[in-house]
Amino acid sequence: YFGIVLAYNNSDYKISQSKDFLLNDSIRIAESLRGVGFNLGGIVNLKVGRYFDFRTQPTLSFAERKLLYKSPGDIRAPYTRQIQSVLFEIPFHIRFKSEPYNDKRFFLVTGVKYGVDVANDSRSRDAAELVKIAPSDFMFEVGAGLQIFFPYFIFSPEIKYSHGLGNVMVIDPNLPQSNVIDRLVSRSITISFHFEG
């Protein structure tokens, strides 16, 4: 069966600092701040036996992440840079469902997700003088939720955690803010509302 999904996402980067971070004298703090966004997409669900489903959810995701920098001896507030993305994402999930009880059943879901940023102009505008971000990403996902059965559709709230499997930062020795970072790994928490028929 098919459906639609509406979701809220909260995203950031896991930062690994490079050896140049300790040696440089212009940046004292480099960290990631969370940003919020939303997702809109479709659902294709294939039942595999009584308790398992194979699912894919082609989704358009609007996400925002922020990088914060602070210079030593600078009394001003730290400055932040926004990295906004419009991602076309294709997840592939396996879902395990419990026995139904009172028209409800719990489920666990896990899988992988591939995403590509289709907003090339925003990526270069927001991050060109800070860091360069790769246009594609591959992530592992795990989550849980609840199916609620109504006469004509199934409503399923779900919470899911996503963690990148690779470094999305493109190394550029000409960018000082980029040199203090060795790796940027995408992370996201998504709260979804599924409507399935």
Side-chain angles (χ1 to χ4, degrees):
Y1 53 83
F2 302 92
I4 62 172
V5 57
L6 305 173
Y8 157 88
N9 66 67
N10 193 305
S11 307
D12 72 346
Y13 291 117
K14 179 181 178 182
I15 293 181
S16 298
Q17 296 166 346
S18 71
K19 61 181 181 181
D20 292 338
F21 180 79
L22 297 176
L23 301 176
N24 90 94
D25 57 359
S26 59
I27 297 174
R28 181 170 58 89
I29 295 174
E31 60 186 33
S32 177
L33 302 178
R34 288 192 169 274
V36 299
F38 68 94
N39 303 8
L40 176 63
I43 301 169
V44 179
N45 190 93
L46 175 65
K47 292 183 69 173
V48 184
R50 180 176 175 85
Y51 299 105
F52 289 92
D53 293 332
F54 175 76
R55 295 165 65 82
T56 183
Q57 299 173 21
T59 304
L60 200 60
S61 175
F62 299 85
E64 179 184 85
R65 296 175 173 90
K66 301 176 182 178
L67 294 175
L68 178 145
Y69 289 90
K70 174 91 175 159
S71 300
D74 194 342
I75 61 174
R76 298 173 297 177
Y79 60 96
T80 61
R81 296 293 175 87
Q82 295 181 345
I83 300 176
Q84 297 175 334
S85 302
V86 180
L87 298 160
F88 178 68
E89 300 176 328
I90 305 178
F92 297 97
H93 293 152
I94 296 293
R95 182 170 71 173
F96 171 73
K97 303 175 294 188
S98 69
E99 284 284 353
Y101 178 76
N102 287 343
D103 292 329
K104 299 178 181 66
R105 71 197 305 177
F106 291 97
F107 64 84
L108 300 174
V109 63
T110 186
V112 294
K113 176 175 69 176
Y114 175 76
V116 58
D117 189 350
V118 297
N120 291 324
D121 58 339
S122 69
R123 193 172 59 250
S124 61
R125 180 180 65 246
D126 294 339
E129 58 190 66
L130 179 67
V131 295
K132 292 183 178 179
I133 305 298
S136 60
D137 196 10
F138 198 65
M139 307 182 82
F140 169 77
E141 297 192 302
V142 62
L146 174 68
Q147 283 186 308
I148 305 171
F149 295 90
F150 291 94
Y152 300 107
F153 69 96
I154 305 169
F155 173 62
S156 303
E158 176 188 280
I159 184 167
K160 189 165 55 219
Y161 173 73
S162 307
H163 194 282
L165 298 176
N167 184 10
V168 296
M169 188 182 77
V170 178
I171 304 297
D172 188 337
N174 298 319
L175 299 176
Q177 293 94 341
S178 177
N179 292 337
V180 298
I181 298 174
D182 186 48
R183 288 174 58 86
L184 287 178
V185 176
S186 302
R187 299 185 297 189
S188 182
I189 295 174
T190 306
I191 299 175
S192 307
F193 301 96
H194 300 169
F195 301 87
E196 304 170 53

